[in-house]
């Protein structure tokens, strides 16, 4: 790794931490430059816009989540799928700021140029690969049933889980009833519904 690579990694790590501690909107390039000990001009030379820096941070977070919560490749396909879905709950309980970041990122994405999205989108595909491998193993060992359109099932269930986690993290108490609900229990309940539709 070159010195420049190490510096870039440090900047991304620190900027990501700032976004998680506060929010994408509130953290300025000036504040990031001050924290990492470089000038604003240096940051703009490396990342042409704040959006470009945010996208690099999103990639960094995605890789971190993938490595930390990737389910083991042992067990039945059904067991592997349950670990895959349980990772959403683990992240919700251990790192709720990750879902807050995703919520803010979703609001920013419509303004991100198409060519800046490619790398981010390919990083997301790694999670599809985890699901697909476990699902294929489950069909082979008989622990899961055929859900028909596998990709549709994957996106419907992961979007539902992710959106629930984002809502509970960022908009958890919009009405009086919200305050009395077990938020982790809601996530567990949705995972249970998903797994009941998968088990053979």
């Amino acid at each position: 790794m070159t010195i420049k690579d190490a510096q870039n990694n440090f900047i991304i790590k620190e900027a990501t931490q700032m976004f998680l501690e506060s929010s994408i909107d509130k953290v300025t390039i000036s504040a990031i430059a001050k924290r990492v000990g470089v000038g604003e001009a240096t940051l703009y030379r490396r990342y042409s816009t704040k959006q470009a820096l945010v996208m690099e941070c999103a990639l960094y977070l995605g890789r971190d989540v993938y490595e930390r919560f990737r389910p083991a490749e042992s067990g039945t396909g059904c067991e592997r799928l349950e670990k895959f879905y349980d990772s959403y709950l683990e992240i919700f309980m251990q790192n709720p700021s990750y879902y807050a970041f995703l919520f803010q990122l979703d609001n920013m994405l419509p303004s991100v140029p198409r060519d800046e999205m490619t790398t981010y989108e390919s990083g997301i595909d790694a999670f599809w690969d985890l699901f697909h491998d476990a699902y294929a193993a489950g069909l082979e060992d008989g622990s899961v049933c055929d859900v028909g359109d596998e990709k549709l099932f994957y996106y419907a269930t992961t979007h539902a889980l992710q959106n629930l986690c984002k809502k509970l993290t960022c908009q958890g108490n919009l009405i009086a009833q919200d305050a009395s609900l077990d938020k982790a229990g809601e996530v567990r309940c949705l995972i249970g519904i998903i797994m009941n539709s998968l088990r053979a």
Side-chain angles (χ1 to χ4, degrees):
M1 180 185 290
T2 67
I3 291 174
K4 186 175 181 180
D5 289 338
Q7 288 173 335
N8 283 339
N9 288 345
F10 176 69
I11 291 168
I12 294 300
K13 186 175 179 181
E14 292 300 309
T16 300
Q17 193 57 41
M18 292 177 75
F19 291 136
L20 291 174
E21 290 168 357
S22 181
S23 73
I24 291 173
D25 290 338
K26 290 179 183 174
V27 175
T28 64
I29 288 290
S30 174
I32 295 168
K34 185 176 180 182
R35 179 153 164 172
V36 301
V38 301
E40 285 184 57
T42 300
L43 279 185
Y44 279 118
R45 276 195 298 275
R46 293 182 183 190
Y47 313 100
S48 58
T49 63
K50 181 180 172 182
Q51 285 181 341
L53 177 57
V54 170
M55 294 307 293
E56 287 294 324
C57 293
L59 278 170
Y60 169 80
L61 265 179
R63 286 191 296 267
D64 181 59
V65 166
Y66 180 86
E67 289 304 320
R68 290 172 60 198
F69 296 98
R70 178 172 52 176
E73 295 180 6
S74 59
T76 67
C78 185
E79 289 167 344
R80 288 166 58 186
L81 285 167
E82 190 157 20
K83 288 174 186 172
F84 172 82
Y85 285 112
D86 280 346
S87 67
Y88 286 82
L89 177 61
E90 287 183 55
I91 296 166
F92 178 75
M93 295 182 74
Q94 296 174 20
N95 299 344
S97 57
Y98 172 70
Y99 288 114
F101 177 88
L102 289 183
F103 180 82
Q104 298 154 25
L105 181 67
D106 285 350
N107 292 328
M108 188 193 85
L109 287 179
S111 63
V112 175
R114 211 43 241 150
D115 60 329
E116 290 180 21
M117 294 282 290
T118 310
T119 307
Y120 176 69
E121 289 170 339
S122 65
I124 293 172
D125 287 341
F127 293 93
W128 153 254
D129 293 338
L130 287 177
F131 173 89
H132 172 71
D133 291 347
Y135 177 72
L139 287 177
E140 189 173 328
D141 65 30
S143 61
V144 302
C145 62
D146 186 342
V147 295
D149 189 331
E150 177 191 357
K151 204 156 230 184
L152 178 63
F153 185 91
Y154 165 79
Y155 281 113
T157 56
T158 56
H159 284 163
L161 262 175
Q162 195 173 87
N163 286 326
L164 175 62
C165 291
K166 286 187 288 191
K167 178 198 180 307
L168 294 175
T169 300
C170 300
Q171 303 171 313
N173 292 319
L174 293 177
I175 57 176
Q177 292 90 330
D178 289 340
S180 64
L181 293 172
D182 173 5
K183 294 176 177 57
E186 286 188 60
V187 180
R188 276 192 204 93
C189 181
L190 182 52
I191 293 170
I193 292 167
I194 293 167
M195 291 309 303
N196 282 341
S197 64
L198 270 169
R199 285 189 187 93

PDB file of all heavy atoms in Angstrom, residues 113-143:
ATOM      1  N   PRO A 113     -24.537  11.549 -10.023  1.00  0.00           N
ATOM      2  CA  PRO A 113     -24.404  11.192 -11.446  1.00  0.00           C
ATOM      3  C   PRO A 113     -24.311   9.681 -11.638  1.00  0.00           C
ATOM      4  O   PRO A 113     -23.751   8.963 -10.811  1.00  0.00           O
ATOM      5  CB  PRO A 113     -23.096  11.872 -11.874  1.00  0.00           C
ATOM      6  CG  PRO A 113     -22.903  12.968 -10.885  1.00  0.00           C
ATOM      7  CD  PRO A 113     -23.488  12.478  -9.591  1.00  0.00           C
ATOM      8  N   ARG A 114     -24.892   9.193 -12.712  1.00  0.00           N
ATOM      9  CA  ARG A 114     -24.975   7.755 -12.995  1.00  0.00           C
ATOM     10  C   ARG A 114     -23.609   7.078 -12.951  1.00  0.00           C
ATOM     11  O   ARG A 114     -23.465   5.980 -12.427  1.00  0.00           O
ATOM     12  CB  ARG A 114     -25.569   7.646 -14.399  1.00  0.00           C
ATOM     13  CG  ARG A 114     -26.410   6.498 -14.805  1.00  0.00           C
ATOM     14  CD  ARG A 114     -27.433   5.990 -13.894  1.00  0.00           C
ATOM     15  NE  ARG A 114     -27.103   4.616 -13.607  1.00  0.00           N
ATOM     16  CZ  ARG A 114     -27.388   3.994 -12.497  1.00  0.00           C
ATOM     17  NH1 ARG A 114     -28.036   4.576 -11.549  1.00  0.00           N
ATOM     18  NH2 ARG A 114     -27.037   2.755 -12.287  1.00  0.00           N
ATOM     19  N   ASP A 115     -22.571   7.727 -13.514  1.00  0.00           N
ATOM     20  CA  ASP A 115     -21.254   7.086 -13.573  1.00  0.00           C
ATOM     21  C   ASP A 115     -20.610   6.934 -12.198  1.00  0.00           C
ATOM     22  O   ASP A 115     -19.700   6.121 -12.021  1.00  0.00           O
ATOM     23  CB  ASP A 115     -20.315   7.852 -14.523  1.00  0.00           C
ATOM     24  CG  ASP A 115     -20.098   9.297 -14.097  1.00  0.00           C
ATOM     25  OD1 ASP A 115     -21.021   9.883 -13.496  1.00  0.00           O
ATOM     26  OD2 ASP A 115     -19.012   9.837 -14.360  1.00  0.00           O
ATOM     27  N   GLU A 116     -21.071   7.693 -11.205  1.00  0.00           N
ATOM     28  CA  GLU A 116     -20.539   7.565  -9.849  1.00  0.00           C
ATOM     29  C   GLU A 116     -21.239   6.460  -9.060  1.00  0.00           C
ATOM     30  O   GLU A 116     -20.859   6.156  -7.937  1.00  0.00           O
ATOM     31  CB  GLU A 116     -20.656   8.900  -9.096  1.00  0.00           C
ATOM     32  CG  GLU A 116     -19.721   9.973  -9.627  1.00  0.00           C
ATOM     33  CD  GLU A 116     -19.846  11.283  -8.861  1.00  0.00           C
ATOM     34  OE1 GLU A 116     -20.336  11.259  -7.715  1.00  0.00           O
ATOM     35  OE2 GLU A 116     -19.467  12.322  -9.417  1.00  0.00           O
ATOM     36  N   MET A 117     -22.268   5.864  -9.640  1.00  0.00           N
ATOM     37  CA  MET A 117     -23.051   4.839  -8.950  1.00  0.00           C
ATOM     38  C   MET A 117     -22.548   3.421  -9.224  1.00  0.00           C
ATOM     39  O   MET A 117     -22.835   2.502  -8.468  1.00  0.00           O
ATOM     40  CB  MET A 117     -24.513   4.929  -9.397  1.00  0.00           C
ATOM     41  CG  MET A 117     -25.204   6.202  -8.980  1.00  0.00           C
ATOM     42  SD  MET A 117     -25.685   6.148  -7.260  1.00  0.00           S
ATOM     43  CE  MET A 117     -26.988   4.932  -7.330  1.00  0.00           C
ATOM     44  N   THR A 118     -21.806   3.233 -10.299  1.00  0.00           N
ATOM     45  CA  THR A 118     -21.452   1.896 -10.771  1.00  0.00           C
ATOM     46  C   THR A 118     -20.719   1.073  -9.725  1.00  0.00           C
ATOM     47  O   THR A 118     -21.082  -0.072  -9.447  1.00  0.00           O
ATOM     48  CB  THR A 118     -20.612   1.983 -12.058  1.00  0.00           C
ATOM     49  OG1 THR A 118     -21.284   2.835 -12.968  1.00  0.00           O
ATOM     50  CG2 THR A 118     -20.433   0.617 -12.683  1.00  0.00           C
ATOM     51  N   THR A 119     -19.674   1.636  -9.138  1.00  0.00           N
ATOM     52  CA  THR A 119     -18.877   0.897  -8.150  1.00  0.00           C
ATOM     53  C   THR A 119     -19.711   0.563  -6.925  1.00  0.00           C
ATOM     54  O   THR A 119     -19.635  -0.540  -6.381  1.00  0.00           O
ATOM     55  CB  THR A 119     -17.636   1.704  -7.744  1.00  0.00           C
ATOM     56  OG1 THR A 119     -16.936   2.082  -8.927  1.00  0.00           O
ATOM     57  CG2 THR A 119     -16.709   0.896  -6.868  1.00  0.00           C
ATOM     58  N   TYR A 120     -20.529   1.523  -6.492  1.00  0.00           N
ATOM     59  CA  TYR A 120     -21.395   1.293  -5.334  1.00  0.00           C
ATOM     60  C   TYR A 120     -22.375   0.156  -5.611  1.00  0.00           C
ATOM     61  O   TYR A 120     -22.565  -0.738  -4.783  1.00  0.00           O
ATOM     62  CB  TYR A 120     -22.149   2.579  -4.985  1.00  0.00           C
ATOM     63  CG  TYR A 120     -23.143   2.419  -3.874  1.00  0.00           C
ATOM     64  CD1 TYR A 120     -22.728   2.185  -2.566  1.00  0.00           C
ATOM     65  CD2 TYR A 120     -24.513   2.494  -4.120  1.00  0.00           C
ATOM     66  CE1 TYR A 120     -23.647   2.028  -1.535  1.00  0.00           C
ATOM     67  CE2 TYR A 120     -25.439   2.348  -3.101  1.00  0.00           C
ATOM     68  CZ  TYR A 120     -24.993   2.115  -1.812  1.00  0.00           C
ATOM     69  OH  TYR A 120     -25.914   1.945  -0.795  1.00  0.00           O
ATOM     70  N   GLU A 121     -22.973   0.171  -6.788  1.00  0.00           N
ATOM     71  CA  GLU A 121     -23.941  -0.871  -7.149  1.00  0.00           C
ATOM     72  C   GLU A 121     -23.288  -2.247  -7.217  1.00  0.00           C
ATOM     73  O   GLU A 121     -23.885  -3.244  -6.794  1.00  0.00           O
ATOM     74  CB  GLU A 121     -24.596  -0.524  -8.486  1.00  0.00           C
ATOM     75  CG  GLU A 121     -25.551   0.651  -8.397  1.00  0.00           C
ATOM     76  CD  GLU A 121     -26.025   1.154  -9.745  1.00  0.00           C
ATOM     77  OE1 GLU A 121     -25.348   0.897 -10.759  1.00  0.00           O
ATOM     78  OE2 GLU A 121     -27.068   1.817  -9.788  1.00  0.00           O
ATOM     79  N   SER A 122     -22.060  -2.313  -7.726  1.00  0.00           N
ATOM     80  CA  SER A 122     -21.386  -3.617  -7.792  1.00  0.00           C
ATOM     81  C   SER A 122     -21.060  -4.137  -6.391  1.00  0.00           C
ATOM     82  O   SER A 122     -21.050  -5.342  -6.163  1.00  0.00           O
ATOM     83  CB  SER A 122     -20.118  -3.534  -8.652  1.00  0.00           C
ATOM     84  OG  SER A 122     -19.175  -2.683  -8.059  1.00  0.00           O
ATOM     85  N   GLY A 123     -20.808  -3.235  -5.445  1.00  0.00           N
ATOM     86  CA  GLY A 123     -20.567  -3.650  -4.063  1.00  0.00           C
ATOM     87  C   GLY A 123     -21.803  -4.264  -3.433  1.00  0.00           C
ATOM     88  O   GLY A 123     -21.713  -5.236  -2.671  1.00  0.00           O
ATOM     89  N   ILE A 124     -22.962  -3.722  -3.776  1.00  0.00           N
ATOM     90  CA  ILE A 124     -24.227  -4.254  -3.252  1.00  0.00           C
ATOM     91  C   ILE A 124     -24.466  -5.674  -3.761  1.00  0.00           C
ATOM     92  O   ILE A 124     -25.045  -6.510  -3.064  1.00  0.00           O
ATOM     93  CB  ILE A 124     -25.396  -3.325  -3.641  1.00  0.00           C
ATOM     94  CG1 ILE A 124     -25.258  -1.988  -2.926  1.00  0.00           C
ATOM     95  CG2 ILE A 124     -26.740  -3.960  -3.330  1.00  0.00           C
ATOM     96  CD1 ILE A 124     -26.239  -0.942  -3.372  1.00  0.00           C
ATOM     97  N   ASP A 125     -23.999  -5.958  -4.973  1.00  0.00           N
ATOM     98  CA  ASP A 125     -24.202  -7.284  -5.567  1.00  0.00           C
ATOM     99  C   ASP A 125     -23.573  -8.404  -4.744  1.00  0.00           C
ATOM    100  O   ASP A 125     -23.995  -9.558  -4.832  1.00  0.00           O
ATOM    101  CB  ASP A 125     -23.636  -7.329  -6.994  1.00  0.00           C
ATOM    102  CG  ASP A 125     -24.497  -6.551  -7.978  1.00  0.00           C
ATOM    103  OD1 ASP A 125     -25.679  -6.287  -7.652  1.00  0.00           O
ATOM    104  OD2 ASP A 125     -23.997  -6.217  -9.059  1.00  0.00           O
ATOM    105  N   ALA A 126     -22.553  -8.077  -3.942  1.00  0.00           N
ATOM    106  CA  ALA A 126     -21.904  -9.098  -3.111  1.00  0.00           C
ATOM    107  C   ALA A 126     -22.899  -9.732  -2.138  1.00  0.00           C
ATOM    108  O   ALA A 126     -22.811 -10.924  -1.833  1.00  0.00           O
ATOM    109  CB  ALA A 126     -20.728  -8.490  -2.348  1.00  0.00           C
ATOM    110  N   PHE A 127     -23.869  -8.943  -1.671  1.00  0.00           N
ATOM    111  CA  PHE A 127     -24.870  -9.474  -0.736  1.00  0.00           C
ATOM    112  C   PHE A 127     -25.838 -10.417  -1.458  1.00  0.00           C
ATOM    113  O   PHE A 127     -26.269 -11.410  -0.884  1.00  0.00           O
ATOM    114  CB  PHE A 127     -25.616  -8.315  -0.058  1.00  0.00           C
ATOM    115  CG  PHE A 127     -24.728  -7.508   0.842  1.00  0.00           C
ATOM    116  CD1 PHE A 127     -24.087  -6.371   0.369  1.00  0.00           C
ATOM    117  CD2 PHE A 127     -24.513  -7.896   2.152  1.00  0.00           C
ATOM    118  CE1 PHE A 127     -23.257  -5.631   1.190  1.00  0.00           C
ATOM    119  CE2 PHE A 127     -23.682  -7.168   2.989  1.00  0.00           C
ATOM    120  CZ  PHE A 127     -23.046  -6.026   2.502  1.00  0.00           C
ATOM    121  N   TRP A 128     -26.149 -10.102  -2.713  1.00  0.00           N
ATOM    122  CA  TRP A 128     -26.963 -11.015  -3.521  1.00  0.00           C
ATOM    123  C   TRP A 128     -26.254 -12.345  -3.671  1.00  0.00           C
ATOM    124  O   TRP A 128     -26.879 -13.409  -3.562  1.00  0.00           O
ATOM    125  CB  TRP A 128     -27.270 -10.390  -4.890  1.00  0.00           C
ATOM    126  CG  TRP A 128     -27.513 -11.417  -5.962  1.00  0.00           C
ATOM    127  CD1 TRP A 128     -26.671 -11.757  -6.980  1.00  0.00           C
ATOM    128  CD2 TRP A 128     -28.657 -12.278  -6.108  1.00  0.00           C
ATOM    129  NE1 TRP A 128     -27.218 -12.759  -7.752  1.00  0.00           N
ATOM    130  CE2 TRP A 128     -28.439 -13.100  -7.248  1.00  0.00           C
ATOM    131  CE3 TRP A 128     -29.837 -12.425  -5.396  1.00  0.00           C
ATOM    132  CZ2 TRP A 128     -29.359 -14.044  -7.667  1.00  0.00           C
ATOM    133  CZ3 TRP A 128     -30.758 -13.379  -5.823  1.00  0.00           C
ATOM    134  CH2 TRP A 128     -30.517 -14.169  -6.954  1.00  0.00           C
ATOM    135  N   ASP A 129     -24.958 -12.316  -3.895  1.00  0.00           N
ATOM    136  CA  ASP A 129     -24.192 -13.555  -4.055  1.00  0.00           C
ATOM    137  C   ASP A 129     -24.274 -14.423  -2.800  1.00  0.00           C
ATOM    138  O   ASP A 129     -24.396 -15.654  -2.891  1.00  0.00           O
ATOM    139  CB  ASP A 129     -22.725 -13.248  -4.378  1.00  0.00           C
ATOM    140  CG  ASP A 129     -22.544 -12.604  -5.749  1.00  0.00           C
ATOM    141  OD1 ASP A 129     -23.437 -12.763  -6.604  1.00  0.00           O
ATOM    142  OD2 ASP A 129     -21.510 -11.938  -5.954  1.00  0.00           O
ATOM    143  N   LEU A 130     -24.214 -13.803  -1.621  1.00  0.00           N
ATOM    144  CA  LEU A 130     -24.341 -14.559  -0.362  1.00  0.00           C
ATOM    145  C   LEU A 130     -25.691 -15.260  -0.293  1.00  0.00           C
ATOM    146  O   LEU A 130     -25.784 -16.441   0.063  1.00  0.00           O
ATOM    147  CB  LEU A 130     -24.206 -13.620   0.845  1.00  0.00           C
ATOM    148  CG  LEU A 130     -22.831 -13.070   1.183  1.00  0.00           C
ATOM    149  CD1 LEU A 130     -22.927 -12.110   2.362  1.00  0.00           C
ATOM    150  CD2 LEU A 130     -21.855 -14.190   1.495  1.00  0.00           C
ATOM    151  N   PHE A 131     -26.744 -14.525  -0.610  1.00  0.00           N
ATOM    152  CA  PHE A 131     -28.091 -15.104  -0.587  1.00  0.00           C
ATOM    153  C   PHE A 131     -28.194 -16.243  -1.601  1.00  0.00           C
ATOM    154  O   PHE A 131     -28.672 -17.335  -1.278  1.00  0.00           O
ATOM    155  CB  PHE A 131     -29.140 -14.025  -0.892  1.00  0.00           C
ATOM    156  CG  PHE A 131     -30.525 -14.592  -1.052  1.00  0.00           C
ATOM    157  CD1 PHE A 131     -31.353 -14.733   0.045  1.00  0.00           C
ATOM    158  CD2 PHE A 131     -30.993 -14.989  -2.299  1.00  0.00           C
ATOM    159  CE1 PHE A 131     -32.633 -15.264  -0.093  1.00  0.00           C
ATOM    160  CE2 PHE A 131     -32.269 -15.519  -2.448  1.00  0.00           C
ATOM    161  CZ  PHE A 131     -33.090 -15.656  -1.346  1.00  0.00           C
ATOM    162  N   HIS A 132     -27.769 -15.974  -2.823  1.00  0.00           N
ATOM    163  CA  HIS A 132     -27.902 -16.957  -3.902  1.00  0.00           C
ATOM    164  C   HIS A 132     -27.193 -18.270  -3.563  1.00  0.00           C
ATOM    165  O   HIS A 132     -27.750 -19.357  -3.768  1.00  0.00           O
ATOM    166  CB  HIS A 132     -27.352 -16.380  -5.205  1.00  0.00           C
ATOM    167  CG  HIS A 132     -27.279 -17.387  -6.311  1.00  0.00           C
ATOM    168  ND1 HIS A 132     -28.402 -17.887  -6.939  1.00  0.00           N
ATOM    169  CD2 HIS A 132     -26.201 -18.019  -6.872  1.00  0.00           C
ATOM    170  CE1 HIS A 132     -28.034 -18.781  -7.845  1.00  0.00           C
ATOM    171  NE2 HIS A 132     -26.717 -18.870  -7.832  1.00  0.00           N
ATOM    172  N   ASP A 133     -25.974 -18.174  -3.040  1.00  0.00           N
ATOM    173  CA  ASP A 133     -25.210 -19.383  -2.700  1.00  0.00           C
ATOM    174  C   ASP A 133     -25.926 -20.199  -1.621  1.00  0.00           C
ATOM    175  O   ASP A 133     -26.010 -21.427  -1.707  1.00  0.00           O
ATOM    176  CB  ASP A 133     -23.796 -19.017  -2.238  1.00  0.00           C
ATOM    177  CG  ASP A 133     -22.936 -18.469  -3.365  1.00  0.00           C
ATOM    178  OD1 ASP A 133     -23.336 -18.592  -4.547  1.00  0.00           O
ATOM    179  OD2 ASP A 133     -21.865 -17.905  -3.066  1.00  0.00           O
ATOM    180  N   ALA A 134     -26.438 -19.511  -0.592  1.00  0.00           N
ATOM    181  CA  ALA A 134     -27.128 -20.219   0.495  1.00  0.00           C
ATOM    182  C   ALA A 134     -28.450 -20.815   0.008  1.00  0.00           C
ATOM    183  O   ALA A 134     -28.803 -21.946   0.364  1.00  0.00           O
ATOM    184  CB  ALA A 134     -27.375 -19.263   1.666  1.00  0.00           C
ATOM    185  N   TYR A 135     -29.158 -20.077  -0.826  1.00  0.00           N
ATOM    186  CA  TYR A 135     -30.440 -20.555  -1.355  1.00  0.00           C
ATOM    187  C   TYR A 135     -30.226 -21.781  -2.245  1.00  0.00           C
ATOM    188  O   TYR A 135     -30.953 -22.782  -2.141  1.00  0.00           O
ATOM    189  CB  TYR A 135     -31.136 -19.431  -2.118  1.00  0.00           C
ATOM    190  CG  TYR A 135     -32.430 -19.837  -2.773  1.00  0.00           C
ATOM    191  CD1 TYR A 135     -33.569 -20.090  -2.013  1.00  0.00           C
ATOM    192  CD2 TYR A 135     -32.527 -19.964  -4.154  1.00  0.00           C
ATOM    193  CE1 TYR A 135     -34.769 -20.449  -2.611  1.00  0.00           C
ATOM    194  CE2 TYR A 135     -33.720 -20.327  -4.764  1.00  0.00           C
ATOM    195  CZ  TYR A 135     -34.834 -20.572  -3.987  1.00  0.00           C
ATOM    196  OH  TYR A 135     -36.019 -20.939  -4.581  1.00  0.00           O
ATOM    197  N   ALA A 136     -29.209 -21.722  -3.112  1.00  0.00           N
ATOM    198  CA  ALA A 136     -28.904 -22.863  -3.987  1.00  0.00           C
ATOM    199  C   ALA A 136     -28.537 -24.081  -3.153  1.00  0.00           C
ATOM    200  O   ALA A 136     -28.963 -25.206  -3.453  1.00  0.00           O
ATOM    201  CB  ALA A 136     -27.767 -22.501  -4.941  1.00  0.00           C
ATOM    202  N   ALA A 137     -27.767 -23.866  -2.074  1.00  0.00           N
ATOM    203  CA  ALA A 137     -27.407 -24.982  -1.185  1.00  0.00           C
ATOM    204  C   ALA A 137     -28.653 -25.546  -0.515  1.00  0.00           C
ATOM    205  O   ALA A 137     -28.785 -26.762  -0.347  1.00  0.00           O
ATOM    206  CB  ALA A 137     -26.402 -24.504  -0.138  1.00  0.00           C
ATOM    207  N   GLY A 138     -29.585 -24.665  -0.145  1.00  0.00           N
ATOM    208  CA  GLY A 138     -30.811 -25.114   0.507  1.00  0.00           C
ATOM    209  C   GLY A 138     -31.708 -25.928  -0.412  1.00  0.00           C
ATOM    210  O   GLY A 138     -32.335 -26.901   0.026  1.00  0.00           O
ATOM    211  N   LEU A 139     -31.767 -25.542  -1.677  1.00  0.00           N
ATOM    212  CA  LEU A 139     -32.541 -26.333  -2.647  1.00  0.00           C
ATOM    213  C   LEU A 139     -31.908 -27.712  -2.812  1.00  0.00           C
ATOM    214  O   LEU A 139     -32.611 -28.723  -2.901  1.00  0.00           O
ATOM    215  CB  LEU A 139     -32.594 -25.620  -3.997  1.00  0.00           C
ATOM    216  CG  LEU A 139     -33.488 -24.375  -4.097  1.00  0.00           C
ATOM    217  CD1 LEU A 139     -33.372 -23.748  -5.484  1.00  0.00           C
ATOM    218  CD2 LEU A 139     -34.947 -24.713  -3.784  1.00  0.00           C
ATOM    219  N   GLU A 140     -30.581 -27.725  -2.827  1.00  0.00           N
ATOM    220  CA  GLU A 140     -29.872 -29.000  -3.033  1.00  0.00           C
ATOM    221  C   GLU A 140     -30.013 -29.919  -1.832  1.00  0.00           C
ATOM    222  O   GLU A 140     -30.198 -31.130  -1.988  1.00  0.00           O
ATOM    223  CB  GLU A 140     -28.388 -28.721  -3.318  1.00  0.00           C
ATOM    224  CG  GLU A 140     -27.623 -29.948  -3.758  1.00  0.00           C
ATOM    225  CD  GLU A 140     -26.200 -29.617  -4.197  1.00  0.00           C
ATOM    226  OE1 GLU A 140     -25.965 -28.516  -4.738  1.00  0.00           O
ATOM    227  OE2 GLU A 140     -25.322 -30.470  -3.978  1.00  0.00           O
ATOM    228  N   ASP A 141     -29.943 -29.362  -0.611  1.00  0.00           N
ATOM    229  CA  ASP A 141     -30.028 -30.236   0.574  1.00  0.00           C
ATOM    230  C   ASP A 141     -31.471 -30.410   1.070  1.00  0.00           C
ATOM    231  O   ASP A 141     -31.725 -31.114   2.044  1.00  0.00           O
ATOM    232  CB  ASP A 141     -29.110 -29.730   1.702  1.00  0.00           C
ATOM    233  CG  ASP A 141     -29.510 -28.373   2.282  1.00  0.00           C
ATOM    234  OD1 ASP A 141     -30.705 -28.034   2.285  1.00  0.00           O
ATOM    235  OD2 ASP A 141     -28.610 -27.642   2.747  1.00  0.00           O
ATOM    236  N   GLY A 142     -32.424 -29.755   0.387  1.00  0.00           N
ATOM    237  CA  GLY A 142     -33.831 -29.948   0.730  1.00  0.00           C
ATOM    238  C   GLY A 142     -34.321 -29.154   1.928  1.00  0.00           C
ATOM    239  O   GLY A 142     -35.428 -29.386   2.416  1.00  0.00           O
ATOM    240  N   SER A 143     -33.513 -28.186   2.418  1.00  0.00           N
ATOM    241  CA  SER A 143     -33.922 -27.441   3.620  1.00  0.00           C
ATOM    242  C   SER A 143     -34.762 -26.209   3.299  1.00  0.00           C
ATOM    243  O   SER A 143     -35.374 -25.632   4.197  1.00  0.00           O
ATOM    244  CB  SER A 143     -32.687 -27.035   4.441  1.00  0.00           C
ATOM    245  OG  SER A 143     -31.821 -26.193   3.687  1.00  0.00           O
TER     246      SER A 143
END
